[in-house]
Structures are given as structure tokens and as C-alpha cells.
Amino acid sequence: MAALNSVFVCRSASWLAAARAAIVFILLCGGLYPLLVTTVGSLLFPHQATGSLIVVDDTVVGSELVGQLFKAPEYFHGRPSAVDYDPFSVGGSNYAASNPALRDRVAEDSQTIALRYGVESSSIPVDLLAASGSGIDPHISPESAQLQAERVATARGITVSQVNELIVDFTEGPTIGVFGQPRVNVLRINLALDGKEASD
Amino acid sequence: MNEVIIIYAVTLLLAWPLGKYIAGVFKGGTGTGGTIFLPLETGLYRLFGVDPSQPMSWQGYGKALLKLHLVLVLIVFGLLMAQGALFLNPDGIDGMSWDLALHTAVSFLTNTNQQHYSGQAQLSYLAHTFGIVTLQVVTPAAGMAALISIVRTLLSRSDKKPQTSSDGTISVGNFYEDITRAIVRVMLPVATVIALILASQGVPNTYEGAQTATPLDQTAGMAVQNIPIGPVAPMVAIKQVGTNGGGWYGPNSSVPLENPTPLSNFVETVSIVLIPAALVFALGFLTGRRRLALVVMGVMVLMSVSLTSVAIWSENQPNAAFAGLTVEGANLEGKEVRFGATATALWGSWTTQTSNGSVNGMHDSFNPIGGMIPMVDMFINVTFGGIGVGLIGYLLFLLLAAFLGSLMIGRAPEIAGKTLEAREMKLVCIALLIQPLLILGFSAITVAFPALTGNSNPGFHGISQVIYEYTSAFANNGSGFEGLGDDTVWWNVTCAVNLALGRFIPILAPLAIAASLAAKRSAPEGRGSLGIDTATFGLMTLAVIVMFTLLSFMPVLILGPIAETLALMS
């Protein structure tokens, strides 16, 4: 018993015990735990570990999980972003519904899109006018892609049905029919339009 | 809709066995899982130099808890200020200012994770892992330890004489044994499993620095795109499962790198409520009062479903600013296409019921009623609540309901066979009333000096932004109306005060109450006692919670979100 007691040198509520416990917890929870997960996780899922990068001809062209800014007519365009798709300054607009600045932005974008595609503003999908929370949302809704199909086809000199086929191919439905919303990954469908294949 | 029902069902079905396991872990002796974990724990006790079998009085327990926290906050504060000069910093990030470091350290120390910075650009990997992740594991474990200690002392059915500590006062257990078991047997194993699932879905998981990509459309004006990564998966897992909420990236789990797929969103959503709900079941298994646990669960689920339904309804309404400019559809401003409005509203409500505070969409851009629900959730703060502290908060309302209920049926106030007297009720009132006092007091001062507010939205919503921020700080939640310019000395320091008081008073006062009650002679619970495990008493507690919240906060809700709604309708 004496030998055992000599191990416990601190009174349980002492400062020394607190300091020793703090350091041990930092090493265990802040050192060992992330190191273990990172080691096992990157062995099991190496592609995901470094950001799900897409590599074409030895060049990193982006990440499946990070949207990009598209402006050229031959590409599908993504959602409005409050941070111009810069992943280091991610964020949403944080405009309240009552903020006049939000109304102004949506009105301007709505008019631009209505003119560009020759449609009524009341038929523009919401996601094409609403800024995402992250500012790097990689997806648009299938409806937003369909709205752009004719423009993309014209700019590329291909048929609208070819573009529509591609949209169908790249539309992901809800997981097991329940979780999440139908969506199209803008970077991936644009890569397919360019005929570029990811070497992973 | 099916998505919501499935998530509720899966969470509660997983919480039941987990609650049973947690109760076993703390049931005295070596506890469930002892054969696997005890050797590691014994090694840890030797490193601390403490004897885990030494009983502690409530003061000793409280002191041990506070001292450990104080040492941790000093280390993390130093780490945040010095990170620029230290290692594990591949992206060359600078140290924080003193006030931002103070706020950040206190915020994570209190299990709040309110962030006045953006992690991907303002924290090194060293600060993220050794500083932030450490606190994200230790603080929920501390909350769990405090809850177990209070429940053991207050509601234990055993007729054994309560154990006393060395100075003859009532023992509430040993803090180091409780917190170590909570970390080693609950927090770390659960977080590891979730982290690996998230890693499979695409959450980055490496110590490598940021990646550089060459965007496809070079005419769009972005020549290169730098993509911040890091050991994100272990942090996101513990942030979700530990009612922490502080993410790697500024906009939290709305960022696809932090929450890549609907499946990761499902796992992260379930993780928000999993352990808080498991602890309600654990209460039943630990004390043998299973009916009480079921009644408490019933009240919490009732509150959760009612408030969440309103949030989901609201976010499926169009955003007023979009009227006539688009298809008439759900509010998607600040939301992600892969999740949609319903899954985002569900998350927004759960994250504020549990004091988690992570988000998968921007609450600032919710419709006014949708944005009011998170505020109401945080005012109540005991719908599941933070790990440990949520149920402790519920027990305070339960004591208040028992006091009022006993008086209503003309009996001397009592609970579990112990009389409730002036000392206990004073402590209950202090712990409950400090909430409106601090939130409303600080909000009033800040709104009175517009130079302090840092509002990004005008009008009534500006008032909501201020109230939300202090409510979130006191509730130890951490979510925000994030447009608020809150990295100022005023916001950092006043929030730090709210954070600390909102954490430690609601832990220490109930600990004192439990010890005080345990020291009293126990009258056998019989037919004449107040039945705290009946549906009637559950409704009584619910009524007390609703009345207390409405009386304290109805006026500010009218000034903020309700006025905003009316203004938009006119």
C-alpha cells in the first residue's frame, strides 16, 4: 500500500495535479488522437485526405469539393458567391431577408439572367440567384443547369440534346433516395464538356 | 420530410444503447469497458499523480475542475498568440491579437466554440490540434463528469449512507476519475469512428499544407485557387459529437470540405444530438429511475419537434427579398444545394438546442421566424442541451417545478425524499436568473452605443444580431448571425465574460445544491411524496420552462425577429 501511495504524489485538487493533467490531456487529445485518425484515415482514403483534388494531365485543376468561378459562355456557371470562390476567405453574404442590399443584388442578377436566357424572371431557379453559405458551393440544381444548356450548346457549336444528355449523366440524386437534394457538380460537368478526364 | 423523421429515429435509437454504455462506465468499480481501458487510465492517473479512488467534497471537485480549466486556458491562450513563431504551421499563419486570443481560448474552454476568427486563415495546425481539439475533447468530458457527479449525489436511490471525503463532508466522487473515463471511454472512441466516416466522405485528413489548383476557366479572373486543408476530419468529428461546434473553416459545415456529401451531413447531424440524448437515458440506467429518464426524454423530444417544425416550415417559405424575381421556392440564401432548406433548418434547430453551435447554412440569412427558432432554442438551452450541462440545466428546472408543485399541493417542498429549503432555492434562482440578467444587460448596453455593435444588417435584424451573439455566448452555443463584425475589443471581452459565467455558474451551483441535499436526512419515498417521474410532473416542468423563457425574453423577441417579420409583411 505504501508503494502504491507513493505513486500518487498530488492531492487531487492541487495545482500540480491540474498542470500535469493538462499537459497529458493536450498530448493525448491534441497530439495522439488527430495523429491516429490522420494516419489511418489517409491510408484508407488517400484521395479524400488531401482535398479530393482533380488532376488532368499532371495539373491540379481543382477539387471536387470546391466550386470555381466560371464566366465564359461555353461553361456552366455556378451560384453567386460572396467571396468569388476564394477558399481561403470562405463565407456567405450574411444578408438578412430585410436587408435592402440583398433585394438589390437579387434584382440585378435576376434581370441579367432573364435577359441572357430570354426567360421570365419568375422561371429562374432560386439557387442561381441565392449566394451559398460557404461561397464555394460546387453544385447547382439540375434546373439551373437546364436553363444554361442552350447557351452552352451554342457557344460550343454542339446540339442542345448533347448538353442535356450530359446534364442527365452528371445529375446526382438524393443518397438512397432520401438524404440531400438533386445536384450537378459544375466543375466536373465543365471538365466533361472540355473532354478532359481526371487521372485522379 | 422522410429525411427528418429518419434522422430523429436513428439518433434516439443509437442514444439508447450508448446511454446504457455510459451509465455502465460510471457505475463504480472498474465500470463497463474496464478490461480494455483501465490499464491506459491507470497510466494516466500516474502521470497526473492523483489517486482516483480518493473521494472529494463538492468544493474539492469544483476546485479540481476549475484548476484544470485555468491551466488549460493559459496554455491555449499562449499558444494562440505565439502560433506564428511555432511549428506545424505550413501556411505561415500569424499569432492572434490579445483580445481575439482571449476570446478564442475562453470560448473553447467553455465548450462554446464561438468564433470571431476564420480557422482556415487564422489558425496553424498546431493551434488547431493541440489547442482547439484538446479543449473540444476535454470540455464535454468535464460537463459529463459534472453531470454524473450531480446525478449520483442527488438522485441515487441507494439507501447506503453517502460516502464522505477526508474532511467529513459529503463526497460527490473523484473529478479526475470521472473526466478521464469520459475522455478515454466515451469521447475519443466515438469521435474516432465518426472521424473515419467523415474522412471517407472527403473531409481532408493530412498534415500537408494548402493545395494549389489552376482553375478551368482562366477568363474568369482567378489564375490560381489555393485550397486550405489539414487534419480537418478529427476536428470536425469531435466538434460535432462534443457539443462544441467550432469548425475548421469559417462558415463551418456549410463548407463542402467540412461536410462534403448528404451522407456526411446525415452523420454530422445525428452526432449533434447523440451524446446529449444518450445522457438522458444514462440518467435512468445510473439511478434506476428509468421512468424519470423517459419523462425527461419525452419533454425534450416534444420541445425539440415543436421548435424544429417551425424552423423547417419557415425556411421552406420564399425569402422576402426574392419575391417576384425567381421561381417561388424555399429560402436558399446562405444554404448549400446538396443539403437544401429542410436539412439546413433541422441542423439549425438541433445545433442550438444542444449548445453545439456548428452550422451547415448561414443563420443570419434565415427568414426572420427561421432565425428566431435558434434564439428560442438557446434561451431554453435544455432541449437535450450541451453535454452534461444540458441535463444539469434541466435538473434546475426540475427542482423549481418540484418546489412550485409541492406548494401547489400544499406540502413541504421536497425532491427524492429530501426537503428543498431556502439555501437550495437561492442557488437555483441564482443559476437561472443570471441568464436574462447578463444577456439582456449586455445587449442593452451594446445597442445603446451603435459604435459598438458592428451590425452588418440594418433595422430590427440589427437588434437580433446583437441579442443572438450574447445569447449564444451565455448558452455556450457558439453559432451566430455571422455578418456581425465581432472581432473587436468590446465584443471579444464582453463575450468572454458571458462565456465564463454561462459555463461555470450553471455547473457549480447545482453541484453545491446536490451536496447540500445529499447531506440531509432522507424521508423514504412513498405514496405521499411528489412523484417526479409522472407525465403530469413532466408537463409541469415543461410549463415552468416555457413560462420562464417567455417572461424573460418575449420583449426582445418582439423587438427583433417578430418586428422584422411584420415589417416584411407590410
Side-chain angles (χ1 to χ4, degrees):
Chain A
M1 211 44 205
L4 187 68
N5 279 339
S6 68
V7 173
F8 304 124
V9 293
C10 305
R11 280 186 53 240
S12 283
S14 76
W15 281 107
L16 184 62
R20 288 167 66 159
I23 290 164
V24 172
F25 283 147
I26 286 173
L27 295 175
L28 175 73
C29 309
L32 208 59
Y33 157 67
L35 187 64
L36 178 86
V37 169
T38 306
T39 310
V40 176
S42 57
L43 277 175
L44 292 175
F45 314 108
H47 168 68
Q48 291 94 319
T50 49
S52 307
L53 301 175
I54 303 175
V55 180
V56 176
D57 302 333
D58 297 328
T59 310
V60 177
V61 295
S63 158
E64 288 166 36
L65 301 177
V66 180
Q68 293 184 357
L69 201 53
F70 288 99
K71 287 189 173 163
E74 62 265 35
Y75 288 121
F76 285 97
H77 299 173
R79 302 178 59 190
S81 162
V83 297
D84 285 336
Y85 288 92
D86 174 11
F88 258 97
S89 51
V90 273
S93 73
N94 285 313
Y95 284 147
S98 58
N99 193 332
L102 179 60
R103 178 79 189 172
D104 292 347
R105 189 200 79 202
V106 178
E108 197 189 318
D109 288 356
S110 174
Q111 204 181 15
T112 310
I113 291 175
L115 277 176
R116 185 184 300 153
Y117 301 111
V119 292
E120 293 290 316
S121 59
S122 61
S123 64
I124 302 172
V126 181
D127 64 290
L128 216 50
L129 290 173
S132 63
S134 62
I136 56 169
D137 191 342
H139 299 110
I140 53 177
S141 65
E143 295 78 19
S144 292
Q146 275 145 21
L147 184 71
Q148 303 183 42
E150 198 179 323
R151 186 208 74 218
V152 171
T154 312
R156 289 185 174 264
I158 53 179
T159 65
V160 177
S161 65
Q162 279 175 302
V163 177
N164 276 330
E165 263 172 49
L166 212 54
I167 293 175
V168 172
D169 286 349
F170 278 84
T171 298
E172 298 168 72
T175 309
I176 61 165
V178 179
F179 298 113
Q181 303 296 319
R183 59 205 182 277
V184 175
N185 187 306
V186 180
L187 176 59
R188 287 185 55 211
I189 196 171
N190 283 336
L191 281 168
L193 280 170
D194 278 359
K196 291 183 175 166
E197 268 187 50
S199 54
D200 198 56
Chain B
M1 211 57 231
N2 289 337
E3 186 172 9
V4 176
I5 295 167
I6 291 174
I7 289 176
Y8 261 102
V10 168
T11 307
L12 293 176
L13 285 175
L14 287 175
W16 174 268
L18 184 62
K20 194 169 185 176
Y21 168 74
I22 292 174
V25 164
F26 292 102
K27 219 164 193 164
T30 56
T32 309
T35 40
I36 306 168
F37 296 113
L38 206 58
L40 171 62
E41 288 164 3
T42 310
L44 293 177
Y45 299 137
R46 288 184 180 214
L47 291 173
F48 308 161
V50 298
D51 174 4
S53 64
Q54 189 184 63
M56 290 172 151
S57 65
W58 81 264
Q59 291 98 331
Y61 200 100
K63 272 184 206 159
L65 182 146
L66 286 177
K67 283 178 179 173
L68 175 68
H69 281 69
L70 210 62
V71 175
L72 282 169
V73 79
L74 287 174
I75 295 175
V76 173
F77 175 74
L79 192 58
L80 293 172
M81 287 194 69
Q83 62 175 354
L86 296 171
F87 51 98
L88 271 180
N89 187 9
D91 298 334
I93 285 162
D94 290 332
M96 284 184 171
S97 66
W98 71 268
D99 54 305
L100 183 57
L102 173 78
H103 176 268
T104 305
V106 175
S107 168
F108 282 86
L109 185 81
T110 53
N111 192 235
T112 311
N113 297 210
Q114 191 171 47
Q115 294 164 299
H116 291 174
Y117 66 92
S118 261
Q120 77 283 352
Q122 283 172 277
L123 281 185
S124 71
Y125 293 176
L126 184 76
H128 252 141
T129 52
F130 285 89
I132 301 299
V133 171
T134 299
L135 293 180
Q136 290 183 322
V137 180
V138 172
T139 57
M144 196 183 296
L147 171 73
I148 296 294
S149 162
I150 288 167
V151 164
R152 218 167 23 205
T153 313
L154 184 67
L155 292 173
S156 173
R157 259 216 172 120
S158 80
D159 299 324
K160 280 183 298 183
K161 258 184 70 167
Q163 221 192 345
T164 53
S165 66
S166 49
D167 53 356
T169 50
I170 297 289
S171 164
V172 297
N174 183 288
F175 171 69
Y176 282 104
E177 183 179 58
D178 289 343
I179 194 171
T180 304
R181 283 192 185 184
I183 289 174
V184 171
R185 299 191 198 185
V186 184
M187 298 316 304
L188 288 180
V190 175
T192 303
V193 172
I194 290 167
L196 290 175
I197 299 176
L198 295 181
S200 79
Q201 293 301 299
V203 180
N205 202 22
T206 175
Y207 286 93
E208 273 180 49
Q211 305 290 308
T212 304
T214 313
L216 195 56
D217 184 0
Q218 285 294 324
T219 66
M222 182 181 265
V224 288
Q225 188 182 43
N226 292 311
I227 302 171
I229 54 172
V232 184
M235 185 210 196
V236 174
I238 189 64
K239 132 194 132 160
Q240 287 308 108
V241 86
T243 57
N244 288 295
W248 188 279
Y249 301 93
N252 214 279
S253 279
S254 70
V255 176
L257 290 162
E258 189 155 332
N259 190 5
T261 64
L263 192 64
S264 71
N265 190 63
F266 164 67
V267 173
E268 290 185 21
T269 308
V270 168
S271 301
I272 293 174
V273 172
L274 182 62
I275 294 185
L279 286 172
V280 178
F281 291 126
L283 166 87
F285 290 116
L286 200 61
T287 62
R289 299 174 184 271
R290 295 193 190 188
R291 274 190 62 188
L292 175 65
L294 287 179
V295 170
V296 173
M297 181 55 82
V299 173
M300 288 182 172
V301 169
L302 186 64
M303 290 195 289
S304 175
V305 171
S306 344
L307 288 162
T308 304
S309 307
V310 177
I312 290 174
W313 166 80
S314 172
E315 289 317 295
N316 277 293
Q317 305 303 308
N319 185 315
F322 288 63
L325 301 173
T326 65
V327 169
E328 198 161 297
N331 176 14
L332 291 180
E333 181 71 15
K335 297 190 181 68
E336 302 285 300
V337 166
R338 64 194 177 284
F339 307 140
T342 300
T344 307
L346 170 68
W347 181 307
S349 187
W350 274 23
T351 195
T352 42
Q353 288 170 356
T354 52
S355 113
N356 186 299
S358 60
V359 297
N360 70 347
M362 296 299 109
H363 291 187
D364 220 352
S365 297
F366 275 17
N367 289 325
I369 297 298
M372 182 178 78
I373 295 300
M375 280 197 239
V376 175
D377 281 332
M378 291 189 291
F379 292 148
I380 296 174
N381 214 25
V382 297
T383 316
F384 304 114
I387 289 183
V389 290
L391 199 47
I392 293 174
Y394 189 94
L395 291 176
L396 282 174
F397 281 115
L398 192 129
L399 289 173
L400 190 56
F403 181 76
L404 296 173
S406 301
L407 293 179
M408 283 163 76
I409 56 171
R411 297 182 50 87
E414 53 132 4
I415 187 162
K418 314 271 190 174
T419 51
L420 283 170
E421 290 169 300
R423 177 180 151 78
E424 292 86 30
M425 292 319 294
K426 267 186 205 158
L427 286 165
V428 168
C429 290
I430 289 171
L432 289 178
L433 290 177
I434 190 166
Q435 183 207 23
L437 190 74
L438 284 178
I439 293 175
L440 299 176
F442 275 105
S443 297
I445 296 170
T446 306
V447 172
F449 299 96
L452 297 176
T453 57
N455 279 143
S456 63
N457 285 300
F460 300 115
H461 195 84
I463 299 176
S464 300
Q465 281 187 311
V466 170
I467 295 163
Y468 196 113
E469 189 71 5
Y470 283 121
T471 305
S472 171
F474 187 87
N476 291 170
N477 186 275
S479 65
F481 278 177
E482 288 299 341
L484 190 72
D486 47 21
D487 182 17
T488 62
V489 173
W490 170 259
W491 275 116
N492 283 331
V493 173
T494 56
C495 281
V497 171
N498 275 271
L499 291 163
L501 294 175
R503 175 72 173 175
F504 295 109
I505 289 177
I507 286 183
L508 295 178
L511 202 57
I513 295 170
S516 164
L517 286 173
K520 295 183 184 185
R521 240 192 26 205
S522 176
E525 288 178 68
R527 299 186 54 173
S529 344
L530 182 76
I532 55 171
D533 57 1
T534 62
T536 316
F537 189 74
L539 287 175
M540 173 80 190
T541 315
L542 177 65
V544 168
I545 294 171
V546 172
M547 294 296 289
F548 181 85
T549 306
L550 285 180
L551 286 173
S552 305
F553 296 110
M554 196 65 202
V556 294
L557 288 178
I558 290 172
L559 281 177
I562 294 176
E564 192 187 355
T565 308
L566 296 175
L568 282 175
M569 280 163 64
S570 63

